[in-house]
Amino acid sequence: LLRHGLPAPLTPFTCRDPAQVRERVEQARRDGYMISVQQIMLQEIAVSAPVLGPNRRAVAAISMDNVRGLNIESLRKTCAVS
């Protein structure tokens, strides 16, 4: 994806720095999930995680989003416990 350039930003908060994108991917690998805030839509918080196959490789992904009213720190704690 980064080799061909990043997609056009969808909000003023969409990450456009390739180094930051790489770091976010690495953080998601370490944590096992990713929380993104206002990357696709304004006032949206989304949580994404891979669905791992028997060989521990991602075979699919799952994502849930919420617009407004979700406390990101509460979400981080919930994800960390799971």
Side-chain angles (χ1 to χ4, degrees), residues 5-80:
L6 295 168
L10 299 174
T11 76
F13 304 102
T14 301
C15 183
R16 296 287 302 146
D17 178 4
Q20 240 185 354
V21 170
R22 285 185 186 92
E23 174 52 35
R24 289 179 182 191
V25 169
E26 287 305 314
Q27 185 68 45
R29 283 186 180 137
R30 287 189 296 272
D31 294 344
Y33 65 92
M34 170 59 108
I35 297 174
S36 63
V37 179
Q38 301 191 95
Q39 295 294 307
I40 304 295
M41 293 183 337
L42 292 175
Q43 299 184 12
E44 175 194 44
I45 297 175
V47 180
S48 304
V51 176
L52 303 177
N55 61 359
R56 306 271 313 145
R57 292 183 58 102
V59 296
I62 188 166
S63 179
M64 179 195 75
D65 65 331
N66 186 33
V67 178
R68 292 186 169 185
L70 186 60
N71 179 308
I72 192 163
E73 287 310 314
S74 173
L75 185 58
R76 279 189 212 283
K77 289 176 187 173
T78 301
C79 289

